[in-house]
Amino acid sequence: MNVAVLGAGFMGHGIAHVSALGGHSVIVRDVEQELVDEGLEQIEANLEEGIEREKITPAEKEDAIERLTGTVSLEAAVEEADLVIEAVPERLDIKQDVFADVEEYAPDDAVVATNTSSLSVTEIASILDDPSRCIGLHFFNPAHIMPLVEIVVAEQTSGETKEFADHYVESIEKTPTTVTDVPGFASSRLGAIFSLEAIRMAQEGVASIEDIDETMRLGYNLPMGPIELVDHTGIDVNVEVMEYLREELGERFKPPQLLKRKLRAGTLGRKTGEGFYIWEDGEIAGVSDEE
Ligand SMILES: NC(=O)c1ccc[n+]([C@@H]2O[C@H](COP(=O)([O-])OP(=O)(O)OC[C@H]3O[C@@H](n4cnc5c(N)ncnc54)[C@H](O)[C@@H]3O)[C@@H](O)[C@H]2O)c1
């Protein structure tokens, strides 16, 4: 199928990567050519790493690269799409603007999916003339490695759209879970509360961020501690998710001051090289001294 991925950032390039490896023709769209190019370069680097780790063969990499193109034109990206997946910033107005444009240029029967981690899919879909073709496809970061896709069924989603989404997730060899469209779905709601409490504990001096993360890694057999996870997924994205959950579900989701300070300073975690930790080449290289 033809897949259009809108946004070539962290999630967008990962979704494009797995879609191309799954045998689909993929067009990635971002607002500037430089961002498109960076996304495509990142996919190539991640595919190369896949070869080094013996997850894919060099031929699979070449085939995936051949199926991938990039553009800054929304029309060119979606005009022949069977499936459009948006991975633009986590703001209702931006996502709705994007969907309104998609409806103008995409075929009438294209499925329109959002990778929102917390917004209401039902509300995003409401901008469409035909919201029955909208669904949530919630990938996890990094999308080319994480095996789960939460399929979020909006109030308006048709059975046909859900079936199409199941089929797509299967084609990219991910495991789907299905959730109804409630704030934070199953994953972000629980994940946010976990990270929030960890940051509050660091703020109160209960333990260092490294010790909090180490405790959860070793004590609960997690691959990553809850504060490291915030750096990994992006402090800006986390604050937006927490603010939304706070509005919908209550004060227990209020972002801690320490997290907001980092947002204001522009130290957003792995993607800017510093958050709670210092990051070099995607790995933790130390702890930020701004604690
Ligand atoms: N980062 C995560 O861990 C994670 C996990 C799951 C879901 N998500 C969700 O995925 C979405 C994207 O997050 P991200 O971390 O990839 O953000 P990001 O900032 O890395 O990427 C967003 C990209 O969208 C581009 N963009 C902005 N407006 C656009 C438009 N109109 N058309 C096309 N591109 C546009 C930006 O230039 C940027 O490159 C958000 O909804 C987020 O909640 C994020």
Side-chain angles (χ1 to χ4, degrees):
M1 71 176 74
N2 293 329
V3 180
V5 179
L6 308 181
F10 259 112
M11 296 310 293
H13 70 66
I15 295 167
H17 173 140
V18 293
S19 299
L21 265 188
H24 305 298
S25 291
V26 183
I27 305 188
V28 189
R29 192 251 167 172
D30 209 304
V31 288
E32 284 171 27
Q33 190 59 45
E34 202 185 329
L35 297 169
V36 173
D37 293 343
E38 275 170 23
L40 292 174
E41 278 162 27
Q42 193 58 54
I43 296 173
E44 179 146 19
N46 290 343
L47 285 166
E48 195 54 44
E49 207 179 302
I51 296 174
E52 280 158 27
R53 294 186 182 200
E54 297 183 359
K55 301 281 182 202
I56 59 167
T57 64
E60 283 169 330
K61 176 192 162 191
E62 288 317 313
D63 287 349
I65 297 281
E66 262 176 37
R67 286 192 284 264
L68 263 167
T69 47
T71 181
V72 290
S73 158
L74 178 84
E75 184 175 353
V78 305
E79 65 189 351
E80 290 181 19
D82 301 299
L83 171 63
V84 179
I85 307 174
E86 74 74 19
V88 302
E90 185 73 347
R91 275 188 28 205
L92 179 66
D93 56 340
I94 298 179
K95 291 190 188 290
Q96 284 194 327
D97 285 351
V98 166
F99 270 17
D101 289 343
V102 168
E103 192 157 56
E104 189 171 335
Y105 298 115
D108 290 344
D109 59 351
V111 166
V112 183
T114 170
N115 180 47
T116 179
S117 18
S118 67
L119 298 175
S120 161
V121 180
T122 303
E123 197 170 359
I124 298 172
S126 68
I127 196 85
L128 296 170
D129 287 336
D130 176 12
S132 74
R133 59 168 159 154
C134 184
I135 197 156
L137 287 176
H138 183 205
F139 287 80
F140 290 75
N141 188 8
H144 66 287
I145 293 175
M146 299 292 276
L148 177 66
V149 179
E150 233 180 351
I151 299 184
V152 185
V153 180
E155 202 58 34
Q156 313 96 323
T157 306
S158 69
E160 213 180 342
T161 301
K162 169 68 167 63
E163 245 174 63
F164 183 94
D166 285 337
H167 168 70
Y168 163 73
V169 173
E170 205 176 292
S171 74
I172 58 168
E173 296 181 6
K174 300 277 183 199
T175 303
T177 55
T178 300
V179 286
T180 50
D181 185 25
V182 292
F185 321 134
S187 54
S188 299
R189 180 166 167 174
L190 206 49
I193 214 79
F194 208 34
S195 294
L196 273 165
E197 197 57 26
I199 296 165
R200 284 190 201 115
M201 284 164 63
Q203 209 170 256
E204 286 167 19
V206 172
S208 68
I209 62 165
E210 292 155 292
D211 279 354
I212 292 170
D213 276 344
E214 185 95 311
T215 301
M216 295 311 287
R217 260 197 313 272
L218 301 183
Y220 283 75
N221 202 17
L222 298 177
M224 206 182 273
I227 302 179
E228 181 185 352
L229 184 62
V230 168
D231 259 16
H232 192 81
T233 50
I235 284 172
D236 50 345
V237 173
N238 277 271
V239 171
E240 277 166 21
V241 169
M242 288 168 188
E243 288 288 12
Y244 173 72
L245 292 177
R246 176 189 185 187
E247 215 178 285
E248 292 288 324
L249 300 172
E251 287 302 297
R252 65 188 190 278
F253 289 98
K254 183 178 175 184
Q257 278 306 319
L258 181 55
L259 188 64
K260 287 175 94 170
R261 273 216 306 275
K262 292 196 175 290
L263 177 72
R264 290 180 188 127
T267 49
L268 305 179
R270 193 171 75 121
K271 64 180 157 190
T272 60
E274 183 173 350
F276 289 96
Y277 293 94
I278 308 284
W279 294 81
E280 278 170 22
D281 300 325
E283 304 287 335
I284 288 179
V287 178
S288 166
D289 54 15
E290 279 177 44
E291 300 317 310

